[in-house]
Amino acid sequence: MNKKIVGINELVAGNINVDFKYAGCTDENRQAWSKDYEVQQQAKIKNQLFKENLLNPTEQRSENHIALRDLEHAFQFKHHDKIIQEQVQIEKFVQAVHNKDDVNHKGEAWQHVLVIGVGGSSLGNELVLEALKYQYKEHIGCSILDNIDPLELDYTLAQLELSHTLVIVISKTFTTLETIQVANRVKAAYFKEFKSREQKEVIKEHFVAVTAQPERAKAFGMSAKHIFLFWEWVSGRFSVWSSVGLPIALVYGVEVWKELLEGAHEMDQAYHHQKCAESPIWTMAYLQDHYLKKYKAHAEAFVCYDARGKHLHAYLQQLYMESLGKNVSVEGELLHATNCPYVLGGVGTKDQHSYFQMIHQDEKVIPVHFIGFKDKEEPHLRSLQHHSITAQQLALKQGRKKEKNKNRFFSGNRPSVKITLEDFNAKNLGQFLAFWEHVVFSLSLIRNIPCFDQWGVELGKEKLKEMKG
């Protein structure tokens, strides 16, 4: 855990360096803000995250995703024993697959995993699986189905050898209509492929469930040994640390999966112990609150200059907009304010040739978070990527104010932040994802809105169920 302040404009947490030089926030601003009484009160509320709590009051639930990566029991959660028990079950299952003890009916090894899930059941897995593929060995192939479109479904199934494919259905309730409909369609494909075998044996052999409702998974046909639990006190968008991350362990191995959890725990420790003035997490949340107020910033861009962050934008979009996209306070009062920016993003060198035009010259100010990953591979390309970030930051800050041709005039003074992840690996990726979780939670405290419910999502589900009868 690293608490030091690197410079007047830089703060560090773990292996993440955040440079606020062009953020529109002076060191004096930050120091004054961190001493504010309300901030001190929010910091006290923050500490509830590290113990039993009722941080999801609208659903009368605690939120304990921190416990999932608290492998050493540092925070004394009451669920610790059951979490460890489930992690042991995951480890045994993964080792059985890799050691060819869990095989198909012909005694042949599994070669592929097909993951069925949507939202928090897929976005974290998608991000991590993509990010790690460039430097970690894949023990087994993996595809994700998070769309009910039959074209994509049929195309994906056609690419797979079903006899060597495990299907993992991820659903907290095991009633999410899109997920269950896709699972039923895949089940039908298996019945067609193995029409000479008993259907219940096909399901028990090939299908795995990750759910908080194991009885519903059993009713679907899964065997008890292929059902893995996560719990109601874990919100979907914070669930990749639970059994939801089973695909990561299957693809890259248990040790890599554990490194991811360890990294997240290290960031939890940094968030828990750092003072507000030293914390890049609190400073980032403060800045985003500042942007919402000063610039009426209805959009912010999160741009990763690395292919390993290809799916970061979609992950952060859910994390921010499902957690903060609300106009009701913790006390249930209507708030007449925008509490969450619309999240733009993508891979930097592509993005700066598309929507960056709007970022540089539109009347609305869109703050940008430039994200880079450091490693020793391809030093020339990495240097070019990081220079691209600096060039964009300078252009946003300086603009071009003396230009007579108004088409080439740029006002400048547009804020940006540079976030650098040192030495990319599974552990530091865990730190990185936990960093953003804590930024979002901190911003929810500042804006006084409940972070862990998603009633807008639920409304859409209810209407779909009504239409389907």
Side-chain angles (χ1 to χ4, degrees):
M1 182 177 63
N2 193 340
K3 293 188 182 181
K4 70 178 180 178
I5 301 177
V6 174
I8 194 166
N9 292 303
E10 294 183 45
L11 293 173
V12 168
N15 288 301
I16 297 173
N17 182 299
V18 186
D19 187 341
F20 296 101
K21 183 190 300 183
Y22 301 114
C25 167
T26 66
D27 189 56
E28 290 75 16
N29 292 151
R30 180 169 54 78
Q31 292 287 348
W33 166 79
S34 67
K35 294 175 183 176
D36 184 89
Y37 172 77
E38 287 189 9
V39 173
Q40 299 302 321
Q41 297 305 108
Q42 291 154 2
K44 289 179 182 178
I45 297 172
K46 173 204 76 174
N47 291 331
Q48 294 180 23
L49 194 63
F50 299 92
K51 58 186 179 182
E52 297 305 318
N53 60 63
L54 193 61
L55 287 172
N56 187 352
T58 68
E59 295 182 282
Q60 288 296 298
R61 290 177 184 167
S62 58
E63 177 59 41
N64 296 148
H65 61 274
I66 299 292
L68 298 168
R69 59 245 193 167
D70 183 19
L71 305 183
E72 301 301 321
H73 207 186
F75 298 123
Q76 306 299 309
F77 285 98
K78 69 180 182 182
H79 306 295
H80 179 75
D81 290 345
K82 67 171 67 173
I83 292 168
I84 296 300
Q85 182 180 352
E86 200 61 32
Q87 290 174 345
V88 169
Q89 292 302 111
I90 290 172
E91 188 169 346
K92 288 179 178 178
F93 176 64
V94 171
Q95 289 174 343
V97 171
H98 292 173
N99 295 336
K100 300 176 183 168
D101 294 324
D102 190 302
V103 292
N104 71 8
H105 68 286
K106 295 180 180 178
E108 297 167 339
W110 302 114
Q111 297 174 0
H112 203 86
V113 175
L114 176 63
V115 181
I116 300 172
V118 66
S121 298
S122 65
L123 291 170
N125 279 319
E126 187 174 48
L127 187 161
V128 174
L129 289 167
E130 177 72 21
L132 297 182
K133 76 178 186 181
Y134 297 95
Q135 66 193 88
Y136 289 93
K137 175 187 174 183
E138 294 183 356
H139 294 272
I140 192 170
C142 186
S143 304
I144 296 177
L145 276 175
D146 56 1
N147 189 349
I148 58 174
D149 190 326
L151 286 174
E152 182 179 0
L153 196 159
D154 291 342
Y155 177 84
T156 301
L157 289 176
Q159 309 307 306
L160 301 178
E161 191 174 350
L162 298 188
S163 62
H164 295 95
T165 299
L166 274 172
V167 180
I168 303 178
V169 183
I170 304 177
S171 175
K172 181 191 279 190
T173 63
F174 226 76
T175 60
T176 303
L177 193 58
E178 301 96 323
T179 299
I180 299 306
Q181 183 167 321
V182 172
N184 282 326
R185 180 84 173 254
V186 172
K187 183 163 67 169
Y190 272 83
F191 290 165
K192 183 178 179 181
E193 178 79 8
F194 305 110
K195 52 191 172 187
S196 63
R197 298 183 59 208
E198 280 195 48
Q199 293 183 350
K200 64 179 182 180
E201 293 304 317
V202 172
I203 299 303
K204 285 182 178 180
E205 178 183 305
H206 285 268
F207 281 69
V208 176
V210 176
T211 183
Q213 299 293 334
E215 295 307 315
R216 291 174 183 164
K218 289 176 185 175
F220 187 90
M222 277 84 158
S223 68
K225 71 173 185 176
H226 277 180
I227 297 175
F228 298 91
L229 299 178
F230 71 113
W231 300 276
E232 296 291 349
W233 39 263
V234 180
S235 297
R237 56 195 172 277
F238 298 89
S239 67
V240 71
W241 320 104
S242 71
S243 300
V244 170
L246 174 62
I248 299 166
L250 281 167
V251 173
Y252 295 115
V254 168
E255 291 307 313
V256 174
W257 173 62
K258 284 185 175 179
E259 287 174 18
L260 190 78
L261 298 180
E262 289 168 8
H265 179 66
E266 289 176 357
M267 188 55 60
D268 295 339
Q269 293 277 19
Y271 182 53
H272 188 246
H273 293 294
Q274 281 183 322
K275 296 177 181 178
C276 290
E278 298 175 353
S279 171
I281 293 169
W282 274 104
T283 303
M284 183 75 78
Y286 156 70
L287 268 177
Q288 292 182 316
D289 177 62
H290 175 69
Y291 294 155
L292 286 166
K293 291 174 179 175
K294 180 177 179 179
Y295 299 112
K296 307 297 182 187
H298 291 183
E300 292 184 29
F302 298 78
V303 188
C304 186
Y305 279 70
D306 196 298
R308 290 169 292 194
K310 178 180 178 180
H311 296 300
L312 179 63
H313 158 241
Y315 176 83
L316 289 179
Q317 193 173 63
Q318 185 198 28
L319 185 63
Y320 269 84
M321 298 175 75
E322 199 167 80
S323 299
L324 303 170
K326 300 155 189 176
N327 66 344
V328 182
S329 72
V330 171
E331 294 80 18
E333 300 294 327
L334 278 175
L335 300 171
H336 301 286
T338 298
N339 295 300
C340 179
Y342 174 76
V343 175
L344 292 167
V347 178
T349 46
K350 290 196 301 182
D351 287 24
Q352 66 190 35
H353 289 275
S354 59
Y355 63 82
F356 268 44
Q357 165 61 38
M358 182 175 179
I359 287 173
H360 281 288
Q361 212 172 24
D362 191 69
E363 184 179 355
K364 286 276 188 184
V365 172
I366 301 175
V368 186
H369 308 276
F370 291 97
I371 298 163
F373 299 155
K374 277 190 178 180
D375 57 28
K376 297 176 183 177
E377 303 299 323
E378 299 288 348
H380 174 68
L381 286 177
R382 290 281 172 259
S383 174
L384 184 59
Q385 287 167 313
H386 286 282
H387 285 154
S388 294
I389 292 175
T390 302
Q392 290 293 333
Q393 287 196 284
L394 287 172
L396 288 166
K397 173 64 178 175
Q398 296 171 357
R400 184 186 282 146
K401 301 175 184 178
K402 296 182 180 180
E403 178 63 52
K404 293 181 179 179
N405 181 343
K406 298 303 181 185
N407 293 299
R408 293 169 55 83
F409 173 84
F410 299 89
S411 62
N413 292 320
R414 292 171 181 249
S416 67
V417 178
K418 181 180 178 181
I419 303 102
T420 305
L421 177 63
E422 307 287 343
D423 189 21
F424 184 91
N425 55 43
K427 181 182 284 189
N428 289 343
L429 178 61
Q431 286 190 12
F432 183 72
L433 299 185
F435 172 88
W436 290 108
E437 288 181 351
H438 293 321
V439 171
V440 167
F441 177 61
S442 299
L443 185 53
S444 78
L445 296 180
I446 294 169
R447 304 297 290 187
N448 192 36
I449 55 176
C451 185
F452 300 111
D453 60 21
Q454 55 279 324
W455 292 108
V457 174
E458 298 304 323
L459 176 62
K461 290 181 180 179
E462 290 170 16
K463 293 301 177 185
L464 180 59
K465 285 182 179 179
E466 289 174 9
M467 293 175 67
K468 295 292 288 184

